[in-house]
Amino acid sequence: MLFNSLGGKTAPADFREATIQGQAPDGGLYFPEKLPALDAAFLKDLKKHSREEIAFRVIQPFVGNTIPENDLHEIVSDTIAFPIPLVKVDESIESLELFHGPTLAFKDIGARFMSRCLGYFARGEKRKITVLVATSGDTGGAVASGFHHVEGVDVVILYPSGKVSPVQEKQLTTLGGNITALEVEGNFDDCQRMVKQAFRDEALRKHRFLTSANSINVARWLPQQFYYFFALQQWNAATPPVIAVPSGNFGNLCAGIMAWKAGLPVSHFIAACNINDVVPRFLQDGKYVPEAARATISNAMDVGDPSNFVRILEIFRENPDGLHQMLSAVSITDDETRATIREVYRDLNYRLDPHGAVGYTALHRWLGDHAGESGLFLETAHPIKFPEVVEAETGEKIPIPGALLHLLDREKSATLIPNRYEVLRDLLFN
Ligand SMILES: *Cc1c(COP(=O)(O)O)cnc(C)c1O
């Protein structure tokens, strides 16, 4: 399987090349030249197959011969080595809990898969690979955890000092080994600017093999299909679900649509956005107008120009009507999100995080207009990651999950640096 650049100016790349490069040299996103379809008999018997087998069958066509089957089996099993349960919230709504991984957010799945693929590819490289990322919180933790102990790959993470939550900071700074945390005296934009400058620095790139681990990388994007299949394995209603996806950069939702294209039964997708509503407005009036991101309580979705949306448009390029049939988008305010957290806890005894709450609100609204349907939403983070907001609405302390107990006792180790590129450059040269 080859991947074309949506920029249209680069030669196609295989999975290895696309994973190592991240973004195509022309600045475009990689997109598979052909969308694979799964065997109908296999899909019909989804419940009979193991999760490992399903994940392998889903991803193998994309990986092609760049990773031998045995190694890919191992990578896939390792990626999904934690539960992903579908939990009933009320009569017509279920929650796909994607927060049982090591950093308690769904990004673990993409990050774990990508890290293991890159680790495999690093074996064939003479130079050590350095993954360089700027994070405003969640991505960095998932990447750090995913790459920890992966041989042949170093990870350097820049985060804004004082602007990530205490849990997030611990997740970034306590691993050690091949993970280096740089605490930047500045904001997230400074971190991102410094990283971008490093990628443009030819002399540095001769010295170190730099790659990114952001959500546009095909090795982070494509494995997100897995859990849509796992959801359907656990789905017992007679008709396929409506699926609401809390969306920011739209990688997660785009993976769901890929799963549907491959044959997974889904009746409709809802892009559940906060007030960053570029896509809801686009679906309404056909105009795509990017904006500066606005801050909300579901901050992992504060994106004003979602990078993966072009991939969704590409899937429907030859069938624009299909886009509107299959996808709706809604924008939910912080007040509505808070009310949902409060009411769902009070009435249904289910504790939502702010991102999942946006998904629940969107789905609940849809089902109110479509009697007889039922659906699921993706619960993308554990509520403990946003304790202030959640505890204020539920009026109760959130029990600390086991995965976090020992984390909070760990010693922070980060290098404090000013927000100047030269300082980062010196560090990377040494
Ligand atoms: C990243 C993130 C999202 C948004 O996912 P996209 O793939 O960027 O749309 C939603 N919720 C949480 C908790 C996240 O960390």
Side-chain angles (χ1 to χ4, degrees):
M1 159 88 69
L2 290 175
F3 294 82
N4 293 316
S5 166
L6 292 181
K9 297 195 195 72
T10 314
D14 65 7
F15 181 75
R16 174 194 165 92
E17 178 75 11
T19 297
I20 292 179
Q21 295 281 347
Q23 198 158 4
D26 64 5
L29 269 63
Y30 282 117
F31 190 84
E33 61 172 5
K34 213 170 110 243
L35 298 183
L38 286 162
D39 196 59
F42 178 79
L43 286 163
K44 205 161 148 280
D45 281 345
L46 218 47
K47 284 190 164 69
K48 289 199 195 123
H49 298 287
S50 70
R51 297 155 83 233
E52 286 75 14
E53 179 63 17
I54 291 173
F56 179 83
R57 291 279 287 260
V58 167
I59 204 72
Q60 208 284 326
F62 298 99
V63 175
N65 58 11
T66 63
I67 301 177
E69 295 207 347
N70 276 345
D71 295 278
L72 186 59
H73 263 296
E74 216 168 281
I75 290 173
V76 156
S77 319
D78 223 21
T79 300
I80 57 170
F82 45 83
I84 303 183
L86 186 66
V87 174
K88 204 167 181 66
V89 177
D90 67 23
E91 272 321 298
S92 54
I93 296 184
E94 304 196 34
S95 167
L96 184 67
E97 294 186 347
L98 299 173
F99 56 72
H100 297 281
T103 74
L104 310 179
F106 84 96
K107 290 191 174 72
D108 279 331
I109 291 138
R112 287 166 74 82
F113 184 79
M114 176 185 168
S115 63
R116 282 149 182 81
C117 291
L118 208 53
Y120 177 83
F121 296 141
R123 294 186 213 161
E125 286 288 331
K126 284 191 203 71
R127 284 170 302 178
K128 209 165 193 185
I129 294 180
T130 301
V131 172
L132 185 63
V133 267
T135 185
S136 54
D138 263 3
T139 302
V143 168
S145 159
F147 278 94
H148 195 215
H149 298 317
V150 172
E151 263 177 56
V153 184
D154 282 332
V155 178
V156 177
I157 299 176
L158 282 73
Y159 73 95
S161 180
K163 296 195 174 63
V164 302
S165 77
V167 166
Q168 287 173 334
E169 184 165 42
K170 289 279 184 181
Q171 286 176 337
L172 295 171
T173 60
T174 59
L175 292 169
N178 61 332
I179 314 295
T180 303
L182 301 178
E183 179 177 2
V184 177
E185 294 172 314
N187 56 28
F188 173 60
D189 289 337
D190 293 320
C191 299
Q192 212 160 22
R193 172 179 49 77
M194 291 160 78
V195 164
K196 281 190 178 152
Q197 218 165 331
F199 279 109
R200 284 196 306 266
D201 189 331
E202 295 294 337
L204 175 64
R205 298 195 71 167
K206 281 211 182 77
H207 177 74
R208 265 188 195 249
F209 192 100
L210 287 185
T211 188
S212 73
N214 58 22
S215 70
I216 61 168
N217 194 299
V218 294
R220 266 192 66 186
W221 168 47
L222 294 169
Q224 298 178 120
Q225 295 174 88
F226 297 166
Y227 41 74
Y228 290 89
F229 287 86
F230 302 161
L232 263 286
Q233 262 193 315
Q234 302 170 74
W235 181 255
N236 291 316
T239 51
V242 177
I243 300 184
V245 185
S247 293
N249 254 325
F250 280 74
N252 203 1
L253 176 65
C254 186
I257 296 175
M258 293 286 282
W260 165 73
K261 278 299 267 190
L264 191 75
V266 176
S267 70
H268 194 73
F269 285 101
I270 304 170
C273 303
N274 57 32
I275 55 165
N276 292 284
D277 61 349
V278 187
V279 172
R281 279 186 291 112
F282 170 77
L283 287 180
Q284 203 138 63
D285 63 16
K287 295 195 189 85
Y288 185 89
V289 188
E291 276 185 356
R294 283 178 281 169
T296 72
I297 55 170
S298 49
N299 55 26
M301 305 178 350
D302 295 349
V303 180
D305 185 6
S307 39
N308 278 292
F309 193 64
V310 287
R311 284 181 167 144
I312 295 182
L313 293 179
E314 182 65 20
I315 295 174
F316 290 101
R317 189 161 49 93
E318 277 160 14
N319 175 20
D321 291 343
L323 175 65
H324 288 272
Q325 251 163 43
M326 220 36 223
L327 179 66
S328 308
V330 288
S331 167
I332 307 291
T333 66
D334 276 358
D335 283 346
E336 291 168 325
T337 307
R338 286 183 203 277
T340 295
I341 295 174
R342 189 166 60 240
E343 288 159 16
V344 169
Y345 190 68
R346 185 192 63 205
D347 301 338
L348 303 164
N349 199 27
Y350 190 81
R351 197 185 272 115
L352 292 159
D353 101 290
H355 305 80
V358 171
Y360 180 96
T361 311
L363 179 57
H364 189 260
R365 199 174 287 175
W366 172 273
L367 296 177
D369 295 337
H370 297 80
E373 295 187 12
S374 54
L376 61 95
F377 66 97
L378 273 49
E379 180 42 293
T380 48
H382 194 292
I384 195 72
K385 298 195 96 172
F386 308 92
E388 292 81 15
V389 177
V390 176
E391 289 172 0
E393 299 311 321
T394 61
E396 267 180 37
K397 276 271 180 225
I398 306 170
I400 301 201
L404 278 192
L405 280 174
H406 58 277
L407 181 72
L408 297 173
D409 298 333
R410 290 261 246 322
E411 202 66 38
K412 163 181 165 182
S413 159
T415 307
L416 189 67
I417 64 168
N419 60 355
R420 287 192 301 118
Y421 174 62
E422 294 68 34
V423 181
L424 173 64
R425 187 173 198 267
D426 282 349
L427 282 168
L428 291 173
F429 257 107
N430 296 316

